[in-house]
Amino acid sequence: MAEIRNIRVMEQILKANDYLASALNAEWDQTRTFVVNLMSSPGAGKTSLLEATLPLLKEEYRMLVLEGDIETERDAERIRTQGVPALQITTGGTCHLESHMIDQAWKLARDRGPFDLLFIENVGNLVCPASYFLGEHLTVVMLSTPEGDDKPMKYPKAFRSSQVFLISKSDLLYALDFSPERARREALQLQPKIETLLVSSKSGEGMQRWIQLLKQQRARRFGS
Amino acid sequence: MHELSIVSALVEQVNNVAQAHGSTRVRHLTLQVGKMSNVVPELLQQAFEAFRKVEPLLKDARMEIRQVYPLMKCGRCSQEFVPDTFSSPCPRCLSTSVELIHGEELLLREVELEIQDGGQDG
């Protein structure tokens, strides 16, 4: 005779992801590696932002970049030409990064360290990546001006889980009806503590403030 | 479209529960999904059907999704209310300084298992 038993579980379905992410976070605290998770839709300029960011930090910090894409090694190659080690994570169809992918890549890369700063470039997508904590210290969401200033409310979770909001491609503002103030206010409604910066990887606008912010956040976590 | 990944994590979770109780057959599972959790229940159900075909443990299992309305609390007058969107102001004092209390969760609530004689307790 078979018995039927009802088991009350009440657990987060993504518990395993979050558990591993927390373990990574603890390891990065020990190695004093400040980790940034960068999210945006495809083509908002995540890789371009990193290409503009790395040269400004290279003298002071040892850095590593993990590039998430569904296919190709292209982004990692772009980063390597900056003289910064980069590992490509190809998800093979999965539309976001999960902590086990980061764990695998980090285990391959960490012996080449120590690293002061680790940038994780998530798969271009404003929906799914927001559900997966990767153990990062700072979550950054980026929106490019051609996408429109009404996007924060359309992707609430991405904004709610971020501490920094970058509005990229500010050099195109002259040609668009994008109001940075409107976008900033929408983001603040979703996440009252979010800090908004207007940047352009091309013209360099806002890059000094972005670099300052990264340095301050890292110093706040680990001391200088 | 990360529902497939979520169900993949769910299947592992259910597997662990079944193993812990010495069961090889799951009859029913209940999820609790917040309306603001960023997932589409129909897609979860479809992904579950796909896994059911390849996971013997789940062959006869049905999945029930309980959707939960979000609840917000006003930071000024403490009124609790069900918002339409993330940007809904407080219906009492119209303050926009509001906080989501729940509605983003993605939980495995219950699993109903069939346990053959000689199954473990626990």
Side-chain angles (χ1 to χ4, degrees):
Chain A
M1 265 289 286
E3 178 201 344
I4 307 299
R5 209 180 290 174
N6 218 341
I7 315 293
R8 195 176 157 80
V9 185
M10 290 308 271
E11 276 178 356
Q12 296 285 345
I13 294 174
L14 297 181
K15 183 183 77 153
N17 178 80
D18 295 352
Y19 185 78
L20 181 56
S22 300
L24 282 168
N25 182 274
E27 179 174 343
W28 289 327
D29 274 347
Q30 271 194 350
T31 56
R32 294 166 61 88
T33 307
F34 188 73
V35 181
V36 180
N37 178 6
L38 182 57
M39 296 186 286
S40 82
S41 54
K46 292 182 294 301
T47 314
S48 298
L49 176 84
L50 290 177
E51 284 174 314
T53 301
L54 300 174
L56 302 174
L57 292 166
K58 219 156 60 174
E59 298 302 316
E60 225 172 308
Y61 301 97
R62 294 159 296 187
M63 293 182 288
L64 172 70
V65 177
L66 299 182
E67 283 286 344
D69 274 300
I70 289 175
E71 289 292 346
T72 83
E73 179 88 7
R74 280 176 199 163
D75 283 355
E77 281 161 11
R78 277 171 66 183
I79 297 299
R80 284 183 205 122
T81 61
Q82 303 282 337
V84 171
L87 241 97
Q88 183 77 46
I89 304 174
T90 43
T91 63
T94 305
C95 54
H96 57 270
L97 292 173
E98 295 185 17
S99 59
H100 68 90
M101 303 174 189
I102 302 298
D103 183 57
Q104 253 181 348
W106 170 248
K107 280 183 176 138
L108 288 175
R110 68 180 164 197
D111 292 339
R112 294 163 67 182
F115 298 107
D116 307 310
L117 265 171
L118 162 58
F119 290 98
I120 301 171
E121 182 183 329
N122 220 309
V123 178
N125 178 344
L126 272 181
V127 185
C128 313
S131 294
Y132 291 85
F133 176 47
L134 302 178
E136 72 268 19
H137 299 103
L138 188 70
T139 316
V140 178
V141 61
M142 189 162 84
L143 178 71
S144 67
T145 53
E147 293 172 75
D149 53 26
D150 61 342
K151 290 300 173 290
M153 283 300 170
K154 293 189 178 180
Y155 303 101
K157 186 131 188 175
F159 284 83
R160 283 175 58 77
S161 55
S162 298
Q163 296 87 49
V164 177
F165 171 26
L166 296 180
I167 300 173
S168 63
K169 305 189 188 178
S170 69
D171 52 296
L172 297 177
L173 272 176
Y174 74 94
L176 300 164
D177 276 334
F178 186 103
S179 159
E181 186 47 31
R182 208 180 308 151
R184 191 184 75 93
R185 275 202 310 262
E186 276 210 357
L188 276 174
Q189 267 189 295
L190 292 165
Q191 214 280 61
K193 289 186 189 128
I194 203 162
E195 190 166 345
T196 305
L197 297 182
L198 190 62
V199 294
S200 165
S201 311
K202 194 166 176 184
S203 73
E205 183 185 0
M207 287 305 289
Q208 283 310 326
R209 277 188 65 203
W210 162 237
I211 297 295
Q212 241 9 75
L213 182 146
L214 286 172
K215 288 182 175 180
Q216 280 166 4
Q217 292 279 347
R218 189 183 183 280
R220 200 175 298 165
R221 186 83 190 185
F222 299 133
S224 44
Chain B
M1 235 305 277
H2 56 310
E3 283 77 1
L4 203 61
S5 305
I6 288 168
V7 173
S8 160
L10 170 71
V11 169
E12 209 173 302
Q13 199 174 14
V14 171
N15 240 313
N16 290 339
V17 175
Q19 233 170 49
H21 291 84
S23 164
T24 52
R25 196 157 166 219
V26 175
R27 289 168 57 112
H28 196 268
L29 35 138
T30 315
L31 307 192
Q32 180 172 328
V33 175
K35 289 227 181 216
M36 290 186 168
S37 65
N38 225 5
V39 303
V40 184
E42 292 76 18
L43 294 179
L44 279 183
Q45 203 62 260
Q46 274 177 27
F48 182 71
E49 288 307 312
F51 271 95
R52 233 161 53 85
K53 288 183 186 137
V54 293
E55 286 283 335
L57 179 75
L58 300 173
K59 197 162 67 77
D60 307 308
R62 297 181 66 85
M63 182 168 79
E64 178 191 343
I65 299 175
R66 290 197 198 158
Q67 278 199 286
V68 179
Y69 278 96
L71 189 68
M72 275 185 170
K73 187 175 180 176
C74 176
R76 197 162 72 186
C77 75
S78 297
Q79 170 82 18
E80 290 188 2
F81 61 101
V82 176
D84 296 324
T85 68
F86 274 111
S87 57
S88 298
C90 170
R92 189 157 89 183
C93 73
L94 300 179
S95 166
T96 51
S97 145
V98 293
E99 196 193 340
L100 193 70
I101 302 173
H102 63 75
E104 288 184 297
E105 65 269 47
L106 200 55
L107 295 177
L108 172 60
R109 280 183 67 96
E110 282 173 14
V111 182
E112 195 182 285
L113 301 172
E114 205 175 290
I115 296 169
Q116 295 301 324
D117 272 348
Q120 297 155 342
D121 278 320

